[in-house]
């Protein structure tokens, strides 16, 4: 495994969700998601932490999954811009080992057993969650991460 500093990309290569979505809209007729590889439907770009920019999910390992409208993910405290509580969609992994870097919050006392996912390096989060009812679902909010489109 590379250490975190080797995995960081330069700032100019990383685009927020809105920017990647906008390039697709400008592209015209295609209804295909700009975020996935057309042949495998796996994530087309390396996915990075929005704050420290370390690599969270490598290209080609996550699937695009509709967000559960009933699940609200709290907005990260460390960011100035509030994120939608229900993401545009989620990146789904079935195995925690498939992440390059990810951290887990403890279950909230008195709450349900939802565990939130954060950046293992700088601790910003939640950037996603792990639903208690789905042991093999690790979900990252698509609009809380950055994409290496270089
Ligand atoms: Zn980070």
């Amino acid at each position: 495994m590379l250490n975190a500093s080797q995995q960081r990309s330069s700032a100019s290569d990383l685009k927020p969700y809105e920017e990647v979505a906008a390039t697709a809209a400008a592209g015209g007729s295609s209804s295909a998601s700009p975020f996935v590889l057309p042949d495998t439907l796996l994530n087309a770009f390396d996915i990075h932490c929005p704050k420290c920019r370390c690599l969270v999910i490598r290209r080609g390992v996550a699937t695009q999954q509709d967000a559960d409208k009933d699940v609200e993910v709290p907005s990260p405290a460390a960011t100035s811009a509030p994120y939608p509580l229900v993401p545009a969609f989620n990146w789904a992994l079935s195995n925690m080992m498939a992440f390059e870097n990810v951290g887990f919050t403890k279950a909230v006392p008195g709450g349900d057993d939802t565990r939130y996912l954060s950046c293992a390096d700088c601790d910003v989060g939640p950037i996603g969650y792990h639903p208690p009812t789905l042991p093999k679902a690790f979900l990252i909010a698509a609009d809380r991460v950055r994409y290496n489109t270089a």
Side-chain angles (χ1 to χ4, degrees), residues 49 51-54 119 121-124:
C49 168
K51 188 175 171 210
C52 77
R53 304 179 178 279
C54 79
C119 174
D121 213 33
C122 75
D123 232 23
V124 74

Side-chain angles (χ1 to χ4, degrees), residues 53-122:
R53 304 179 178 279
C54 79
L55 183 59
V56 178
I57 301 174
R58 198 171 288 285
R59 177 179 193 264
V61 298
T63 55
Q64 190 174 347
Q65 187 173 98
D66 289 342
D68 183 340
K69 301 273 186 288
D70 294 331
V71 178
E72 295 190 342
V73 182
S75 217
T79 55
S80 51
Y83 292 96
L85 296 180
V86 176
F89 66 87
N90 287 309
W91 291 112
L93 293 178
S94 57
N95 182 346
M96 214 188 137
M97 301 310 290
F99 287 96
E100 296 299 317
N101 276 297
V102 78
F104 258 101
T105 62
K106 293 192 176 70
V108 180
D112 64 17
D113 285 331
T114 299
R115 307 279 298 274
Y116 293 106
L117 304 176
S118 59
C119 174
D121 213 33
C122 75

